[in-house]
Amino acid sequence: KTIVSKGKYNFYTFLFIFTVKIENMKYILPFVLLLISAIGFTQTSHQFQVIKSGVVDFKAINNTWYASVQNMEMPSPEGDSDKAKLLRLKRDLELKYPRKRTSKLETKASTPEVFDISGFEGNAYNNRVPNDNAMAISDAGILMSCTNNRVVVYDTEADTLMDTGYLQDFVSQFNVTASRYDPKMIYDQNEDKFILTFLVGTHHVNSKIAVCFSTSNNPIDEWNVYLLPGDPLLTDHWTDYPAIALSEDEFFVTGNLLADNQSWQTGFNQSIIWQIDKFSGYDGDTALPTQLWSEIYDNGEKIRNIHPVKGARKLYGPNQYFLSNKNFSAESDTVYLIEISDMMSSSSEQLDVTLLSNSDHYFMSPSGRQSIAKLLATNDSRMLGAIRDDSWIQYVHNSMDTATGNAAVYHGTIDNFESTPLVSGVILSDSIKDYGYPNIASTGIDPDDKECVVAFNYTSPIDSAGVGCYYMDTNEVYSDFNLIKLGEAPINTFVDSLDRWGDYFAIQRQYNSPCNVWTAGMYGKQGGNGTWIGR
């Protein structure tokens, strides 16, 4: 069954339903897309029953050597990218908005402060670039951190390392041998459990999404493991660049479908959304009910790099929201607000898209500078973090401060997103430093309190790559720049002029201690890039 559901385009709503029964969807999908290309926003949904792969007892694993031959560079968020077009776009912007020093604003007496910052070095360097940082922390203070393929479980209350392992520990017994990468992790405050996802393979033949549900609040206990197909529509594409979020009843995974061995310009097929029954995963049911949303288009143009919105203080439901933008544009005002309106078990769920126009434009970010000639990649302006409360959504992504020409953080807000959405934004930047790969977490206590921490990687011609943040208080006043981790050395891994810097930055509020925010970012150190766990 294929259902094309309604979408919002400014004040116009288009509704089209097309149902077809055919054994091989590969041949009918192009015809469906041709029919719906002229009716504004369009989407289709497909339901799957994913059979459980098995149970993994993390603490019982004997970590023997796992031999495999892989590239040192992890997959780019554009796939195996032809970087030439993106670099030309950045060079054109740098000519239009050249680097320049500006005077730093004086700190006002009312400027809010971060009162305490501490931390420790997280996962050890494992000869992969960049750090695909993922992290989650429970109410009991059990912190789980991933960097590329390495997993660490740490008791922050007892200051004790509980266990270490690798992503392949979760899938090797199921005859999965392809590369494992791009971990994502989330803590379910309602159920006091963890969910870990990561990608397997970079070819449509071996591509999968590993989805692992903890069976208790202790991540070194057993996990229920399911393997979602990486080529779910049988179109010879593989899944890249995952992002995740939870509602009260469901778990969501977004990703990009890419063609084998092609650039992001020619190889990008579409962005997809997986809707999953989280309770079946926690219970270890034999079949995991899922629903895949695909063919998410704006007047025939693919909406790409869809990012789910997390609950700022608590979990919401049944509706779930997502964001996207024109992330490969030199300058844009476009924000896509996407809503799945109900649980997949309701039989009335649909996916709506609202196009928003932002008067505070965002720009393509320039590369980050270092004290050596090597530049650090900032990729594009895709959504990198988003949270919601009762009446607002806040989000962050890479951008440029056109006043200085420096790489910056865009901090956006969508007010009244459920009724009459209004989007605005602020550029967070420095006269010297370049910022990249931000993420956001709430520190608010009362409903709709916008108080938050925006954390990110930083670098400059006089700074080695480190980790920093801004705090925004209830009155939407920002603190000065706060140092989380001072860089120790430039990042210098590749022979060409551009090194990998981030892709991901992990952040989470500790829900039973909301003034505490934990982060996991990448910093430069001697002998390889490091991961810093900050509190």
Side-chain angles (χ1 to χ4, degrees), residues 130-131 133 457 465-467 491 500-502 505 520-524 529-531:
N131 291 1
N133 286 309
N457 299 331
V467 184
I491 296 172
R500 298 287 292 279
W501 187 23
F505 188 104
M522 176 174 166
Y523 72 100
N529 44 290
T531 289

Side-chain angles (χ1 to χ4, degrees), residues 400-458:
M400 170 194 275
D401 182 351
T402 57
T404 63
N406 292 347
V409 168
Y410 192 94
H411 180 196
T413 301
I414 306 174
D415 288 304
N416 305 315
F417 65 93
E418 293 184 300
S419 55
T420 54
L422 178 64
V423 60
S424 60
V426 174
I427 296 288
L428 302 177
S429 65
D430 186 86
S431 61
I432 301 174
K433 296 180 178 67
D434 288 314
Y435 297 158
Y437 302 101
N439 211 333
I440 185 170
S442 166
T443 52
I445 297 175
D446 298 324
D448 288 331
D449 182 351
K450 291 182 178 177
E451 181 182 337
C452 66
V453 168
V454 176
F456 44 85
N457 299 331
Y458 77 87

Side-chain angles (χ1 to χ4, degrees), residues 143-165:
L143 186 145
M144 192 171 183
S145 171
C146 287
T147 303
N148 306 126
N149 194 30
R150 194 178 293 250
V151 182
V152 170
V153 182
Y154 190 82
D155 186 340
T156 62
E157 298 292 331
D159 194 18
T160 302
L161 180 67
M162 298 173 63
D163 209 343
T164 62

